[in-house]
């Protein structure tokens, strides 16, 4: 997905358009059918130019749509964690995204390969982890600058990218990977909240 396009202009409308494109692609995926960007344009009622503004290659769209079928929205993830304290919420978010990455590791790796092969200088992907963490910190007393730093730092310990590092570089299995990433988040939060008390 071309996030630089999403971030300019009417964000809600663009997210609705993106969701319409993904839903159209999922229609073909669920039926086991191959599709082109032209097929998506016809199914969604959008122009081919509009589709291209969001997805320049059908492979990127197909891979993202396939992953998106199994992924909860940031709002839904937060809703399930709302009764917990901030550390439990962050760890719950991390557990959700790390479990998702493990359960769909092959699809995520394929998606990353497709995106990286398309145009490495333009790489911007969906930002569900970031949005979920932003929602988690929304009603805290942490100042906005520090919230943004925490959100960006914590995203490094959840999802497919750190899973690849823990498995391919460090040689850990899935359970060890989950444990080491959880420990990392706990250290970050402990360090932050202890320094905040001083």
């Amino acid at each position: 997905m071309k996030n630089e396009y999403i971030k300019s202009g009417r964000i809600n409308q663009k997210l609705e358009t993106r969701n319409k494109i993904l839903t159209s692609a999922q229609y073909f995926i669920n039926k086991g059918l191959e599709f082109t960007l032209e097929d998506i344009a016809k199914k969604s009622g959008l122009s081919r130019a509009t589709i291209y503004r969001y997805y320049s290659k059908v492979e990127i769209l197909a891979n993202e749509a396939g992953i998106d079928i199994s992924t909860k929205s940031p709002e839904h993830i937060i809703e399930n964690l709302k009764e917990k304290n901030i550390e439990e919420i962050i760890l719950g978010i991390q557990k959700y995204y790390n479990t998702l990455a493990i359960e769909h590791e092959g699809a995520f790796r394929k998606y990353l390969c497709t995106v990286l092969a398309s145009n490495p200088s333009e790489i911007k992907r969906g930002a569900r982890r970031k949005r979920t963490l932003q929602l988690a910190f929304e009603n805290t007393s942490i100042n906005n600058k520090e919230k943004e730093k925490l959100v960006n730092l914590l995203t490094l310990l959840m999802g497919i990218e750190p899973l690849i590092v823990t498995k391919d570089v460090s040689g850990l299995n899935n359970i060890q990977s989950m444990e080491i990433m959880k420990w990392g988040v706990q250290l970050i939060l402990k360090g932050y909240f202890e320094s905040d008390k001083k």
Side-chain angles (χ1 to χ4, degrees), residues 18-19 22 26 64-81 92-93 95-97 99-101 103-104 108 126-133 135:
R18 175 190 171 273
N19 288 335
L22 287 172
Q26 288 163 358
E64 186 174 338
I67 292 167
D68 191 67
I69 289 171
S70 306
T71 307
K72 293 178 184 175
S73 72
E75 292 77 15
H76 188 259
I77 296 165
I78 289 295
E79 182 64 28
N80 291 337
L81 298 168
I93 292 168
K95 183 177 181 182
Y96 172 77
Y97 284 112
T99 301
L100 183 73
E103 289 175 353
H104 302 282
F108 275 110
R128 289 182 190 93
R129 289 171 282 183
K130 186 169 183 173
R131 176 67 184 139
T132 310
L133 288 165
L135 290 171

Side-chain angles (χ1 to χ4, degrees), residues 20-68:
K20 196 178 215 183
I21 294 167
L22 287 172
T23 301
S24 297
Q26 288 163 358
Y27 167 84
F28 291 102
I29 291 168
N30 288 331
K31 294 201 173 274
L33 301 171
E34 300 262 332
F35 60 90
T36 64
L37 293 178
E38 288 80 11
D39 295 328
I40 298 302
K42 287 177 192 169
K43 178 73 181 155
S44 65
L46 300 167
S47 71
R48 170 75 166 77
T50 298
I51 303 297
Y52 186 80
R53 279 196 289 277
Y54 289 80
Y55 297 93
S56 58
K57 295 187 180 194
V58 72
E59 295 84 7
I60 296 172
L61 171 57
N63 289 330
E64 186 174 338
I67 292 167
D68 191 67

Side-chain angles (χ1 to χ4, degrees), residues 77-89:
I77 296 165
I78 289 295
E79 182 64 28
N80 291 337
L81 298 168
K82 68 181 179 186
E83 301 301 321
K84 302 188 179 297
N85 67 42
I86 189 66
E87 182 177 353
E88 293 170 327
I89 291 171

